Amino acid sequence: MERYDRLSYIALLTTGGTIASSRDENGVSRPGAARFDLAAEVKVVDLMSKDSSSFDFADMDRIVDAVAEALEDTECDGVVVLHGTDTMEESSLLVDLFHDDPRPVVFTGAQRTSDHSDPDGPANVDAAVRAVTDSANRGRGVLVVFGGRTLPARGLWKCHTSELDAFASSAEPRTVLPRSAIAGVRVDIVALYPGVDAVAIDAYRAAGTQGIVLQALGSGNTNADVVAAVKACTAEGVPVVVTTRVPVGEIEPSYGGGGGGADLVDAGAVFSPVLRAGQARVLLAAQIATRV
Ligand SMILES: NC(=O)C[C@H](N)C(=O)O
């Protein structure tokens, strides 16, 4: 039986977000430093102090590298990452895609600023630290502990703008990729809607996109103009991944008729069975970066 009764220390990486933010006299939130009293031995690494909605792939690479660096120390029992909620689904997935170590990596953050009269950050950090020290979480990949829930990063999406349990997840099986930076990889998301034309897809293709994620309708459907534009992309070797704007349920190519999911597959697109657009984009970028 695996022994896990020793607590050396936990690495706590801070990146900004609401958990580290306070509000000015106009009620506008801005990130500062995140500090907590914790009943565990914690080594704090201040990586960034940004709202996560302004993160780019280079920022996410920095988090991946910092997690890997923390885990190089065998005395480190696991990592907690404090992160804004807006793009937690992207960063936590990217770390998970490369995380080949049984020690837990747990993301958390907050919906309320640190100067709120009843902030949610302290309880979330406390729960995240406890999750890292829980031997049951070894080998589960990257987790998000937030608002009383413990969720796998793979399949995560932010499902509420203000509720304290802001996330949901539809986990899919983990496969781990060789670690590679994704900064510089260009993958674009195209939102589809009734009457959409090929302008956005053609513009991204002209801009040199390396991959396109379609946020399609229903179980993965659109119209014939989009199918033709997808065919032009895949003919040039630009991969196209189909997701949906519907938050829950499987995505599958079950319709024909010229613009259905089956037509998209005939045009060379591939379906993302579970991941929605934000995470499908990160997965495609990582696959392009690692040339899987
Ligand atoms: N609740 C939050 O953390 C939202 C914030 N805009 C962020 O993602 O950094």
Side-chain angles (χ1 to χ4, degrees):
M1 209 177 128
E2 192 175 18
R3 279 193 69 229
Y4 191 68
D5 53 10
R6 171 188 59 85
L7 175 66
S8 298
Y9 73 89
I10 292 167
L12 183 94
L13 311 183
T14 75
T15 68
T18 297
I19 194 163
S21 296
S22 52
R23 289 162 298 178
D24 66 15
E25 59 282 5
N26 298 316
V28 177
S29 305
R30 288 192 189 81
R35 290 290 174 262
F36 298 93
D37 286 332
L38 295 165
E41 192 63 37
V42 166
K43 275 191 192 168
V44 178
V45 179
D46 289 316
L47 263 191
M48 288 174 270
S49 182
K50 288 172 83 165
D51 191 291
S52 76
S53 55
S54 68
F55 280 5
D56 58 18
F57 279 169
D59 293 316
M60 294 178 189
D61 286 339
R62 283 184 72 188
I63 298 172
V64 171
D65 291 343
V67 168
E69 199 178 312
L71 292 175
E72 276 170 17
D73 186 350
T74 54
E75 295 295 305
C76 177
D77 284 331
V79 183
V80 170
V81 182
L82 304 189
H83 195 290
T85 56
D86 290 350
T87 62
M88 199 181 289
E89 58 200 63
E90 278 94 347
S91 297
S92 63
L93 175 71
L94 188 67
V95 175
D96 189 62
L97 288 172
F98 302 133
H99 181 55
D100 197 9
D101 187 306
R103 288 171 289 177
V105 174
V106 175
F107 277 66
T108 196
Q111 288 282 63
R112 297 175 177 164
T113 53
S114 59
D115 58 348
H116 192 281
S117 58
D118 185 18
D120 55 330
N124 282 345
V125 178
D126 196 53
V129 167
R130 275 186 283 110
V132 166
T133 60
D134 183 349
S135 60
N137 288 328
R138 281 175 70 84
R140 290 185 65 195
V142 176
L143 300 171
V144 172
V145 170
F146 204 101
R149 294 181 201 267
T150 299
L151 300 163
R154 213 162 284 219
L156 188 85
W157 75 97
K158 187 174 180 181
C159 61
H160 204 289
T161 55
S162 57
E163 287 288 334
L164 299 189
D165 55 343
F167 291 95
S169 183
S170 309
E172 62 170 28
R174 295 187 70 230
T175 45
V176 176
L177 303 177
R179 184 150 66 100
S180 182
I182 62 168
V185 176
R186 179 169 185 142
V187 176
D188 296 290
I189 296 174
V190 176
L192 302 180
Y193 43 83
V196 65
D197 59 22
V199 167
I201 296 175
D202 291 346
Y204 284 130
R205 194 154 60 88
T209 195
Q210 292 164 275
I212 289 181
V213 174
L214 298 179
Q215 193 174 42
L217 304 174
S219 57
N221 306 305
T222 181
N223 63 43
D225 287 349
V226 171
V227 171
V230 165
K231 201 167 183 175
C233 287
T234 59
E236 285 179 3
V238 176
V240 178
V241 173
V242 182
T243 68
T244 178
R245 69 179 187 177
V246 182
V248 185
E250 280 194 13
I251 312 165
E252 52 192 7
S254 49
Y255 288 86
D263 302 304
L264 284 167
V265 170
D266 285 345
V270 295
F271 267 61
S272 165
V274 175
L275 302 186
R276 267 41 184 183
Q279 287 206 333
R281 173 174 176 260
V282 168
L283 174 58
L284 182 55
Q287 288 171 331
I288 290 167
T290 56
R291 308 211 185 285
V292 170

